[in-house]
Amino acid sequence: MITLSEVGARISPETGTPGRADFGVYLPGITFDKGYRVRAKVIHESDQFVRGIEPVAVWLSWMKGSDHDLWAGGLSLSAAADQQPGTHFGSPGRYLYRYELLREPGGIPGLGAVRFADPFGRDAGLGTLSSFTAPAPPPFAWTDDAHTPPPVDGMVVYELNVREFNQDFDGVVTQLDYLRGLGVNVLELMPVTNVGEDVEWGYTPLGYFCPDDRFGGSAGLKRLVDACHAKGMAVILDAVYAHSHPDFAYNTVYDSTGEPNPMMGPFAGEFFPHRPGSDFTKAFTAQYFTALNRYWLDEYHVDGFRYDYVPGYYDGNPAGPGYPALVYETYEYSRTLPRFQTASGASSIIQCSENLDDPIGMLSRTYTNTCWQNRLMDTARGMARGGYVSEDFAHLLDPAFVGYPDRYTNPASGETFPVAPFQYLETHDHQRFLNEFGRALAPDLLEQPYGDRTRFYKTQPYAIALFTGKGIPFLFQGQEFGENWGLPEDGIGRNLFERPLHWDYFYDPPGKALVRLYRILGSLRNTSRALRARGDFYYYSRPDHLSAKVLAFRRHAPADGAAPPEDFAVALNFGDAPATVWLPLQAAGDWREQIDGAMLLSPLHDGDEALVTIPPNYGLVFRRL
């Protein structure tokens, strides 16, 4: 079994010194008997670029008979300082290290020493350098004992790239009140683990256990998660488990030696055609990622995971290795953690699948409670480009109508929990939704045109639909004020080019109008049972509506204990002219429009229809008082 307490760099106290550093790394099949030797090369960060100062070598011993061929060794930092007089070695501070693999005599044939980052390193420097701090910092002072993630039915999710959103983890903390004002209660962070490139989305991991130093490292991520929890917001991490960076340790070591790879190999749909990804039929792979998930839950208090590119580790067998086993094991472990415990006995951990080929299957057959799926977005973009209104868009606002389950039930145990898909107009994988309505003349540095923000109003009925339909509303950073970066269809310009948010858009007329709308919609979603993920939905399929480019539907929640029933009627105008239509109202009484608040309808009988005029590219949301 993988035991995290014996791998990575661990710092233990020594009287009057910065401490002792012990190292451990699993290298299955790499043994002393075969002539292999392993050492850590360690240097104080202050000496990293100083001429004439070389790192200290720490030879590791092969633990014969150990699980996964453990190599381990260590040194007293103060004692080792005698090897480097006049340096910072032995002083408190940050140290950098990496491993070297040799084969006696003379190293790996044709290569000499093979250098690689610690695959269990808890912090990282630049490139393939791992790091630790001595003396070890005190444990983080968490303040989130009372935190629980929101239920599936009540989630509003916001995806962000830490660097592009506001530089680093602390920069995100400064904007949490802003996000909460949009109704957001779940942050989905694009990958935050260490990568090799200076600008990268994070989808080729180099170090799985360490938050990237550019974002603020381990301490910065803990501050962000704790601050989110203090404001009632959950945090889920984009988990990239199907593939890795070519310089990931278990690529580098086994590509160089030719030894059988314990982790990488063909398994399911490979993302990179020129190299295999993670092979979950191998015991070491399954143990590695199970241990990794437990580590993130324990050490960083995260609330779950968005699993990137699930087809790369799902072979279609819901009882097989790979994704199904990983989410099940993670779910079972989460039940031991207080923040995930619920009155029903089910865990409230958030596990989101990105399997765009089979999102319904993910919710139906695995321990997944949310998923990415592109159907609503694709239909909305088709409408935007073509200038038409599709009833398919209305049907997709009711995931149950198109086949999505509202619960997962384990066929063997009967265990059950609620599930729902994410509903979105934008993600990091696609150009901005606003850009579908027109392009500005000036391009960016990649010759990608910006979207025409003077046409922001075109996005409004879609935003209203997103928050008033069923499923889980999901926003991508800056969508709420009309962000308009372009995005290439393919090539390295997609993920190796930084697109920082234009926060100045928040203050201009398009931005102010959109932010106002999103804030109202977020508040409605948070405070209305009928508008949450599984309130009743009924679409009014009427020719007079369609001819006016209008879609209308109702939402309902029955009485629940002391809470009275709730009723909403929503009418969306996707046209460029005002639309006057008859809107059915399912119950007599007073109905107040909720976005602008000026319109009041008072049908005398259940089922009466009211003649309403919907402004162009806008919508009306009526609530029965």
Side-chain angles (χ1 to χ4, degrees):
M1 291 296 293
I2 285 178
T3 303
L4 294 184
S5 60
E6 65 182 12
V7 289
R10 291 98 59 213
I11 309 304
S12 53
E14 285 185 335
T15 303
T17 77
R20 174 182 173 82
D22 285 286
F23 303 91
V25 61
Y26 294 124
L27 296 173
I30 304 295
T31 68
F32 187 87
D33 292 348
K34 296 178 180 178
Y36 289 109
R37 306 292 184 265
V38 179
R39 64 188 176 192
K41 301 292 283 292
V42 189
I43 194 168
H44 194 284
E45 185 178 44
S46 298
D47 299 329
Q48 181 182 9
F49 300 113
V50 178
R51 181 180 181 182
I53 299 180
E54 298 296 326
V56 172
V58 183
W59 288 98
L60 309 187
S61 298
W62 172 55
M63 303 291 107
K64 186 175 184 178
S66 62
D67 286 347
H68 310 306
D69 290 314
L70 173 68
W71 290 78
L75 80 166
S76 167
L77 296 175
S78 291
D82 295 338
Q83 302 176 34
Q84 293 200 337
T87 74
H88 290 84
F89 208 98
S91 301
R94 190 181 190 214
Y95 289 77
L96 304 171
Y97 73 99
R98 63 181 172 185
Y99 293 120
E100 288 186 345
L101 174 68
L102 305 99
R103 195 166 192 174
E104 300 296 348
I108 308 299
L111 294 174
V114 175
R115 299 172 178 85
F116 58 98
D118 188 346
F120 294 94
R122 309 307 202 265
D123 278 298
L126 295 175
T128 57
L129 294 175
S130 303
S131 74
F132 63 85
T133 299
F140 185 79
W142 291 98
T143 64
D144 63 348
D145 286 350
H147 168 74
T148 58
V152 163
D153 295 352
M155 292 181 188
V156 176
V157 183
Y158 192 98
E159 183 191 27
L160 63 85
N161 176 312
V162 170
R163 185 81 162 189
E164 293 178 350
F165 183 77
N166 202 16
Q167 293 297 314
D168 56 22
F169 297 130
D170 289 336
V172 178
V173 170
T174 66
Q175 297 290 57
L176 293 184
D177 285 334
Y178 164 75
L179 295 175
R180 205 66 188 94
L182 297 170
V184 172
N185 56 17
V186 178
L187 284 193
E188 180 181 306
L189 302 182
M190 287 176 65
V192 299
T193 53
N194 184 43
V195 294
E197 287 71 31
D198 185 55
V199 175
E200 223 262 43
W201 278 357
Y203 291 100
T204 52
L206 184 61
Y208 280 96
F209 285 82
C210 45
D212 199 291
D213 187 52
R214 295 169 303 154
F215 300 156
S218 56
L221 180 57
K222 290 175 182 178
R223 288 193 297 270
L224 172 57
V225 174
D226 199 48
C228 285
H229 288 176
K231 295 184 182 297
M233 301 170 71
V235 178
I236 63 174
L237 302 181
D238 205 332
V240 187
Y241 296 169
H243 48 264
S244 59
H245 195 283
D247 290 335
F248 176 52
Y250 294 113
N251 284 320
T252 298
V253 168
Y254 295 92
D255 286 352
S256 300
T257 63
E259 298 285 354
N261 196 311
M263 188 169 184
M264 316 307 291
F267 173 58
E270 301 301 329
F271 187 82
F272 295 111
H274 57 282
R275 69 175 307 113
S278 305
D279 181 359
F280 278 79
T281 64
K282 298 177 177 180
F284 184 76
T285 307
Q287 291 180 29
Y288 184 91
F289 288 110
T290 298
L292 177 63
N293 274 7
R294 292 185 177 192
Y295 176 75
W296 286 109
L297 293 174
D298 289 340
E299 185 70 15
Y300 290 93
H301 291 205
V302 300
D303 299 287
F305 307 93
R306 179 266 190 189
Y307 296 98
D308 178 65
Y309 192 60
V310 168
Y313 52 117
Y314 177 58
D315 62 3
N317 180 5
Y323 180 78
L326 176 64
V327 292
Y328 172 73
E329 293 291 341
T330 301
Y331 178 90
E332 287 298 304
Y333 182 72
S334 72
R335 296 175 69 176
T336 69
L337 303 177
R339 69 182 178 279
F340 298 120
Q341 295 172 6
T342 66
S344 69
S347 170
S348 61
I349 188 174
I350 304 168
Q351 297 203 85
C352 175
S353 162
E354 188 210 20
N355 185 342
L356 302 179
D357 296 330
D358 187 22
I360 292 174
M362 294 293 95
L363 296 187
S364 302
R365 299 192 293 271
T366 72
Y367 271 71
T368 306
N369 59 353
T370 69
C371 65
W372 273 38
Q373 54 84 27
N374 284 357
R375 289 183 65 186
L376 185 75
M377 178 187 70
D378 290 344
T379 303
R381 288 173 182 252
M383 288 169 54
R385 290 191 292 266
Y388 61 88
V389 175
S390 170
E391 286 193 296
D392 288 344
F393 184 78
H395 294 318
L396 290 166
L397 293 174
D398 182 5
F401 182 86
V402 295
Y404 282 90
D406 63 5
R407 300 193 72 81
Y408 167 78
T409 300
N410 184 320
S413 67
E415 181 175 44
T416 184
F417 51 79
V419 302
F422 285 176
Q423 298 270 49
Y424 45 78
L425 306 170
E426 299 188 24
T427 74
H428 67 265
D429 276 331
H430 305 272
Q431 73 167 356
R432 294 296 180 154
F433 183 55
L434 183 147
N435 295 22
E436 302 288 353
F437 297 99
R439 309 293 181 84
L441 294 178
D444 64 25
L445 294 177
L446 297 181
E447 298 299 319
Q448 292 295 309
Y450 292 101
D452 181 359
R453 296 186 70 250
T454 66
R455 301 174 70 82
F456 76 94
Y457 54 88
K458 291 278 194 177
T459 70
Q460 293 178 135
Y462 298 91
I464 297 169
L466 193 66
F467 279 88
T468 56
K470 293 179 67 174
I472 300 169
F474 172 102
L475 310 179
F476 180 48
Q477 60 183 18
Q479 171 182 338
E480 70 282 358
F481 53 70
E483 184 56 77
N484 65 337
W485 280 103
L487 186 69
E489 290 293 326
D490 50 35
I492 62 174
R494 284 176 61 82
N495 63 336
L496 295 179
F497 180 71
E498 195 165 273
R499 299 172 178 86
L501 290 192
H502 293 95
W503 281 104
D504 52 313
Y505 289 173
F506 176 87
Y507 297 101
D508 66 15
K512 290 173 70 174
L514 285 177
V515 166
R516 171 189 174 273
L517 179 61
Y518 274 87
R519 284 172 168 169
I520 292 170
L521 295 171
S523 177
L524 272 176
R525 184 80 182 202
N526 285 172
T527 58
S528 307
R529 289 185 299 115
L531 295 183
R532 294 181 190 164
R534 66 194 62 241
D536 291 343
F537 182 101
Y538 182 85
Y539 163 59
Y540 298 108
S541 178
R542 296 173 55 145
D544 60 318
H545 286 185
L546 290 175
S547 64
K549 294 194 172 182
V550 168
L551 297 176
F553 52 88
R554 73 180 186 221
R555 300 297 309 274
H556 170 75
D560 183 12
E566 288 184 357
D567 291 290
F568 285 82
V570 180
L572 306 171
N573 179 6
F574 296 88
D576 293 328
T580 300
V581 298
W582 289 97
L583 178 65
L585 299 170
Q586 59 265 39
D590 290 335
W591 293 72
R592 173 72 69 183
E593 204 283 317
Q594 299 295 299
I595 296 177
D596 298 307
M599 196 178 300
L600 181 67
L601 306 176
S602 299
L604 297 177
H605 307 95
D606 293 354
D608 281 356
E609 297 191 359
L611 192 64
V612 298
T613 298
I614 314 161
N617 298 291
Y618 205 57
L620 302 175
V621 180
F622 291 97
R623 179 176 187 165
R624 187 164 68 91
L625 304 179

